[in-house]
């Protein structure tokens, strides 16, 4: 026998207590893991976004003919502040873009790059898609789960070793194809690539991150931290020209990636030319 909660009223007041479907002795909000991690903490509705973030949000909205188009970068902006998309981050985006919180939530929960739990200083994404998995990606992920877990309990997907946001904290996730299959198995730290990994190399890498070191990625920008990268994904780059050039001028190509093009050039192979007069299909009238 269960006792239903009061009918909730509209608005952003979180439910204080509910017994529905859990039996009358259990407060499912109080035991919810999301409460422990801060999503429903008592200060959850305090505004963590100051005037600087508000100005950046307005700048983003003004970049598009329709302000709602700024939602994706704005979600990265709120992640750059809190390390995840919190309920107040959702309310902030909705307010800035004149959307409902339901519309913002629908987007934030669809894309895996928007995190619903606070991330560590570093986000380690291990590719476990088909090719990397066959080359050892599954073994790498399992080894990291065991290595970073505590008391014999492996770390789970999107769980963090250390306190989220604190120096040396590391969140792990398994990821779909990271678009570097020729260099598999690969992993990324804050979306920078570490190619041709093994379980041993991956353990060395996360140990270095836990110590506060930032080993150089195989290519791309130097390693920074999750929140700084989120600010760049929102569209805000270092104003200092030298820092900007270091971020965008890192090596971006790999020998393996260019091998096919080089072979074709050596052998004089070219793709057949496209004809200019290919008839376009008729568009069906509705
Ligand atoms: S399958 Fe791992 S990068 Fe494509």
């Amino acid at each position: 026998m269960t006792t239903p909660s009061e009918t909730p009223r509209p608005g952003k007041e979180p439910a204080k207590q509910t017994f529905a479907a859990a039996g009358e002795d259990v407060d499912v909000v109080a035991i919810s893991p999301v409460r422990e991690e801060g999503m429903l903490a008592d200060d959850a509705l305090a505004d963590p976004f100051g005037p600087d973030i508000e100005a950046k949000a307005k700048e983003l909205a003004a970049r598009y003919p329709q302000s709602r188009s700024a939602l994706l970068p704005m979600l990265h902006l709120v992640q750059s502040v809190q390390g995840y998309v919190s309920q107040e981050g959702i309310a902030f985006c909705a307010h800035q873009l004149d959307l409902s919180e339901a519309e913002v939530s629908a987007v934030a929960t669809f894309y895996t790059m928007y995190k619903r739990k606070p991330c560590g200083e570093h986000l380690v994404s291990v590719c476990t898609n088909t090719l990397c998995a066959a080359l050892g990606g599954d073994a790498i992920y399992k080894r990291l789960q065991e290595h970073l877990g505590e008391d014999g309990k492996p770390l789970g997907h999107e769980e963090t070793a250390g306190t989220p946001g604190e120096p040396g904290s590391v969140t792990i996730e398994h990821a779909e194809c990271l678009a570097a299959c020729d260099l598999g198995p690969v992993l990324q730290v804050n979306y920078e690539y570490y190619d041709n990994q093994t379980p041993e190399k991956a353990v060395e890498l996360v140990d270095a991150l836990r110590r506060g070191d930032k080993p150089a990625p195989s290519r791309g920008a130097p390693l920074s931290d999750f929140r700084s990268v989120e600010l760049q994904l929102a569209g805000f780059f270092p104003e200092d020209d030298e820092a900007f050039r270091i971020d965008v001028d890192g090596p971006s190509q790999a020998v393996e990636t260019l091998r096919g093009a080089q072979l074709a050039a050596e052998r004089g192979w070219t793709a057949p030319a496209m004809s200019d007069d290919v008839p376009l299909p008729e568009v069906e009238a509705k």
Side-chain angles (χ1 to χ4, degrees):
M1 176 80 181
T2 60
T3 308
S5 314
E6 251 177 65
T7 307
R9 290 195 306 271
K12 51 187 182 178
E13 177 74 16
K16 291 190 173 57
Q17 194 176 49
T18 176
F19 300 118
E24 59 186 20
D25 295 332
V26 183
D27 177 350
V28 295
V29 170
I31 64 168
S32 163
V34 294
R35 184 178 193 99
E36 282 172 29
E37 288 160 17
M39 286 178 64
L40 294 176
D42 290 342
D43 62 352
L45 300 178
D47 179 13
F49 307 106
D52 174 50
I53 295 301
E54 184 132 358
K56 283 186 166 65
K58 294 203 181 325
E59 189 183 325
L60 285 178
R63 286 181 184 173
Y64 299 89
Q66 303 286 329
S67 64
R68 64 187 297 146
S69 304
L71 179 55
L72 296 185
M74 202 172 288
L75 286 165
H76 285 298
L77 180 66
V78 302
Q79 283 202 141
S80 78
V81 178
Q82 294 185 299
Y84 74 120
V85 178
S86 65
Q87 202 55 43
E88 59 266 37
I90 285 172
F92 175 82
C93 293
H95 175 71
Q96 294 294 327
L97 299 174
D98 200 20
L99 296 169
S100 70
E101 292 184 26
E103 287 171 308
V104 177
S105 293
V107 174
T109 53
F110 180 82
Y111 294 105
T112 56
M113 284 178 84
Y114 301 122
K115 306 301 179 196
R116 299 311 315 280
K117 293 192 290 190
C119 265
E121 182 188 20
H122 301 291
L123 172 66
V124 174
S125 314
V126 181
C127 180
T128 53
N129 209 237
T130 313
L131 185 58
C132 283
L135 291 171
D138 280 347
I140 291 170
Y141 184 65
K142 187 164 181 281
R143 181 75 173 275
L144 290 186
Q145 285 188 292
E146 287 163 357
H147 184 69
L148 293 171
E150 268 184 8
D151 303 327
K153 183 170 174 281
L155 205 62
H157 174 67
E158 292 189 349
E159 287 184 353
T160 301
T163 305
E166 293 293 314
S169 52
V170 170
T171 301
I172 61 167
E173 65 174 0
H174 56 79
E176 297 302 324
C177 179
L178 295 174
C181 312
D182 49 346
L183 300 160
V186 294
L187 61 78
Q188 292 178 329
V189 181
N190 310 328
Y191 308 117
E192 299 298 343
Y193 283 101
Y194 293 80
D195 302 331
N196 298 312
Q197 289 293 297
T198 62
E200 293 71 33
K201 283 198 219 175
V203 164
E204 269 176 41
L205 177 59
V206 296
D207 282 349
L209 299 174
R210 297 284 284 136
R211 285 196 303 272
D213 295 342
K214 293 185 176 173
S218 305
R219 50 209 160 86
L223 191 64
S224 56
D225 60 87
F226 179 70
R227 293 187 193 199
S228 302
V229 167
E230 285 299 310
L231 190 60
Q232 294 198 1
L233 289 172
F236 297 96
F237 294 91
E239 286 178 12
D240 174 66
D241 194 49
E242 194 181 344
F244 176 73
R245 295 258 58 104
I246 288 172
D247 271 0
V248 299
D249 285 349
S252 59
Q253 61 191 31
V255 174
E256 293 89 333
T257 310
L258 298 178
R259 196 162 280 153
Q262 279 167 350
L263 197 62
E266 282 163 23
R267 299 186 178 187
W269 296 341
T270 53
M274 276 279 285
S275 169
D276 285 338
D277 50 325
V278 177
L280 294 173
E282 294 284 317
V283 178
E284 263 182 48
K286 290 209 171 171

